[in-house]
Amino acid sequence: QVQLVESGGGLVQAGGSLRLSCAASGRTFSSYAVGWFRQVPGKEREFVAAISGSGGTTNYADSVKGRFTISRDNAKNTVYLRMNSLKPEDTAVYYCAARSIGWSTITARYDYWGQGTQVTVSS
């Protein structure tokens, strides 16, 4: 069982930066791949970025490539999402999720989810 808690969301102006954190419980966190997803009201949750358990492999949605960076510190059981050059269209609730068998871009393949953190980018 893995419990995830996101933090770091907030209100930022366009062009600004935020760093989201996803803190996990459990002693085997390094065996879990973690993904970040986001959702706006009325739309499906969409993939943002993912990282393998070791941190050696990452993947990004085209919409955030070059602006967002996913990383992890397994000693702290934490995954980060650094978001630079934020745009109003990045406004959403951001969720982290974990799965034990490799990263995926597909929401349904993740077993554990956090409660989400709101990111609002003003123009």
Side-chain angles (χ1 to χ4, degrees):
Q1 187 78 8
V2 176
Q3 293 184 326
L4 304 173
V5 179
E6 301 96 335
S7 61
L11 174 64
V12 64
Q13 289 187 332
S17 298
L18 283 174
R19 189 181 77 163
L20 305 183
S21 298
C22 173
S25 63
R27 294 178 294 175
T28 60
F29 180 61
S30 60
S31 65
Y32 288 84
V34 173
W36 282 98
F37 295 78
R38 64 187 182 187
Q39 188 171 25
V40 298
K43 292 190 176 182
E44 291 188 355
R45 197 168 295 188
E46 67 172 6
F47 170 76
V48 174
I51 190 166
S52 61
S54 67
T57 302
T58 58
N59 193 42
Y60 298 91
D62 287 343
S63 59
V64 306
K65 202 170 293 183
R67 300 188 297 122
F68 291 12
T69 303
I70 189 171
S71 62
R72 66 190 298 160
D73 184 341
N74 284 336
K76 296 182 178 179
N77 278 11
T78 303
V79 171
Y80 304 98
L81 184 68
R82 177 68 179 182
M83 306 185 295
N84 295 329
S85 302
L86 283 161
K87 305 175 181 179
E89 51 264 42
D90 294 318
T91 295
V93 177
Y94 283 71
Y95 299 88
C96 66
R99 68 190 302 261
S100 60
I101 307 176
W103 61 267
S104 173
T105 64
I106 300 173
T107 306
R109 292 183 177 174
Y110 283 82
D111 303 308
Y112 305 102
W113 289 85
Q115 82 290 346
T117 185
Q118 176 71 47
V119 171
T120 303
V121 184
S122 63
S123 57

